[in-house]
Amino acid sequence: MRSILTRRLAVLGLAAAALAGPASAQGYPERPITMIVPFAPGGPTDVIARLVAETMSRSLGQQVVIENVAGAGGTTGITRASQATPDGYTIMMGHMGTHGAAPALFKGLKYDPAKSFDPIGLAAGTPIVIVAKNNFDAPDLKTFLEAVKSGGAKINQAHAGVGSVSHSTGILFNSIVGAKPTLVVYRGTGPALNDMMAGQVDFMTDQIVNVAPQITGGTIKAYAIATPERSPALPNVPTTKEAGLPGYEVSAWNAVFAPKGLPKDVAAKLDAALAKALEDDNTKKRILELGGTVPTQAERGPAALQKLVESEVARWTPVLRAAVDGSQ
Ligand code: MLT
């Protein structure tokens, strides 16, 4: 008698669990969440990630813990994140490089930016600035371009690996200018910036949120910002158009993704937490102070991010392939 009752209770228990859906989705999040940052600490991706993670932690009620997984232009970390269990406990901070430029530049990419992820939302826009070590012998952009072009391989250009923002915007710059500098790879533009402040590397094209404090502090110099208008965070830095390189206008962006297959209510909680972060006054203030842009309502959320990824891959692929072909 007892064994029949036990078996029936077991069947009922299984049925209840099946009806309730994955237990983690019901109480999600029940433990800390890992946000993979695919570059070294201290760089632009890390800065934006830590900013939004702090506010997301508060609204989710669990710590969003940053894990820096650098290498291969950010594709090592993004590949790992794409293969994680889609349960909401592993998310990532990607960007225009990892989810836009990489397919054009990275042979054998192990993920598809438009298919391997559940997009959560855009976190920040990050205009590109042309920056150099303080003692680079050129007073303005025009003389800088002449020096970089005539200097050839003697000039060192920093980047964060094939397909990264600094790499893709850097080879675009080189192809427009007709320069062929020596490319020096770093695990992120945080370490690259340290070397630039020490005068160890000549220049790079980097995201404003990484370099704005150093430009303002006078430890590196900026020749131009590659946006149609000047940045309120760097009012004295001319646009590329003003300074004599009108054909070079490029901005990057940082965005939160999860591996494909999230339970719907888990995705909804992550979407809501990121949306709250972008409404948080301190988060918005910090992004703007660093020269970043806060996504508009229309730019926020998963659908807008999916469209952005698809359009960025389509935009960058021919441009970068031509830049690479042209430089050979
Ligand atoms: C970083 O966070 O180090 C940068 O995003 C690297 C890059 O994409 O240039």
Side-chain angles (χ1 to χ4, degrees), residues 37-47 73 95 97-98 159-161 163-167 169 187-191 205-207 210 254:
V37 169
F39 293 99
T45 313
D46 191 62
V47 163
H95 66 16
T98 60
H159 68 90
S164 64
V165 167
S166 47
H167 177 262
T169 60
R187 294 173 68 74
T189 50
T205 55
D206 195 16
Q207 296 166 81
N210 190 38
N254 282 256

Side-chain angles (χ1 to χ4, degrees), residues 233-322:
L234 296 172
N236 301 326
V237 176
T239 65
T240 43
K241 188 174 179 187
E242 288 174 295
L245 188 60
Y248 187 65
E249 281 196 3
V250 58
S251 263
W253 44 268
N254 282 256
V256 182
F257 297 87
K260 189 83 180 165
L262 283 183
K264 289 228 178 313
D265 58 348
V266 169
K269 287 183 179 176
L270 285 168
D271 298 350
L274 179 58
K276 268 198 199 139
L278 294 178
E279 284 307 316
D280 176 74
D281 290 341
N282 183 53
T283 305
K284 287 191 284 189
K285 179 167 166 284
R286 282 303 291 144
I287 291 173
L288 294 171
E289 278 171 353
L290 292 169
T293 57
V294 177
T296 62
Q297 288 302 336
E299 290 170 331
R300 297 180 190 182
L305 179 55
Q306 183 64 27
K307 281 202 186 79
L308 176 66
V309 168
E310 290 166 3
S311 63
E312 287 282 88
V313 172
R315 169 190 173 218
W316 279 102
T317 299
V319 167
L320 292 170
R321 287 200 173 135

Side-chain angles (χ1 to χ4, degrees), residues 128-133 136 144 148 154-162 164-171 173-174 181-197 199-207 210-211 248:
I128 297 299
V129 190
I130 302 167
V131 291
K133 63 184 184 183
F136 194 98
F144 171 73
V148 171
K154 288 197 299 298
I155 304 290
N156 292 325
Q157 178 183 18
H159 68 90
V162 173
S164 64
V165 167
S166 47
H167 177 262
S168 48
T169 60
I171 60 171
F173 171 86
N174 295 341
T182 297
L183 300 185
V184 181
V185 64
Y186 290 84
R187 294 173 68 74
T189 50
L193 181 60
N194 292 338
D195 266 9
M196 185 171 291
M197 289 192 282
Q200 302 299 312
V201 70
D202 289 319
F203 82 101
M204 67 178 167
T205 55
D206 195 16
Q207 296 166 81
N210 190 38
V211 294
Y248 187 65

Side-chain angles (χ1 to χ4, degrees), residues 113-132:
K115 295 189 179 128
S116 307
F117 306 95
D118 278 343
I120 303 299
L122 193 60
T126 52
I128 297 299
V129 190
I130 302 167
V131 291

Side-chain angles (χ1 to χ4, degrees), residues 46-85:
D46 191 62
V47 163
I48 297 297
R50 289 175 194 277
L51 264 179
V52 297
E54 189 185 329
T55 324
M56 289 179 75
S57 301
R58 286 204 296 274
S59 51
L60 288 165
Q62 286 287 348
Q63 202 58 33
V64 177
V65 180
I66 301 297
E67 183 182 352
N68 298 87
V69 181
T75 59
T76 302
I78 298 300
T79 300
R80 182 188 306 180
S82 71
Q83 294 165 351
T85 307

